Amino acid sequence: MIRLTSLISINLGILVVFISITTLAIQRVHFLMTLICLEAMMLGLFFLFAKLLFFRGLEIYLSFILLTFSACEACIGLALLISLARIFGKDYLRTISLHKC
């Protein structure tokens, strides 16, 4: 039986994911803002998967694998942000073009 606090935490995870998707759709000009939205989305998914797997009696190793991939994604994103700032001088996504490569 799922308690009320469990339903609130599951709904909170879903809410965080949808808010981060909405923010990603609205604020897609800066590369740093897209990275922050992606990290919030991954954190919401981690929270959601951890709660759902815990209630089903399964191991929560799958959620830790998701968290590991999220950390790798953050590392690659920050490396791209640094290289973008060094090459172009700003983090606008509109300045990135394949014609300049």
Side-chain angles (χ1 to χ4, degrees):
M1 183 175 172
I2 298 176
R3 290 182 255 163
L4 182 63
T5 57
S6 304
L7 286 175
I8 290 172
S9 63
I10 290 173
N11 289 336
L12 182 67
I14 293 171
L15 183 70
V16 166
V17 170
F18 282 129
I19 287 174
S20 63
I21 288 172
T22 305
T23 307
L24 182 65
I26 293 171
Q27 298 287 333
R28 62 181 188 272
V29 176
H30 293 283
F31 190 68
L32 183 62
M33 192 65 186
T34 58
L35 285 177
I36 290 172
C37 290
L38 286 174
E39 287 302 313
M41 191 184 317
M42 293 301 282
L43 189 62
L45 284 174
F46 167 72
F47 190 65
L48 184 66
F49 283 154
K51 286 293 183 179
L52 287 176
L53 290 175
F54 180 72
F55 289 135
R56 294 191 183 254
L58 299 172
E59 300 292 328
I60 58 171
Y61 294 119
L62 181 64
S63 61
F64 287 125
I65 291 172
L66 179 71
L67 193 63
T68 304
F69 283 129
S70 174
C72 293
E73 178 254 334
C75 180
I76 291 171
L78 286 175
L80 286 173
L81 178 68
I82 289 170
S83 67
L84 223 143
R86 285 184 181 174
I87 292 172
F88 296 109
K90 50 189 164 189
D91 68 334
Y92 293 130
L93 288 176
R94 292 183 184 172
T95 60
I96 301 172
S97 176
L98 293 176
H99 300 293
K100 294 181 181 178
C101 293

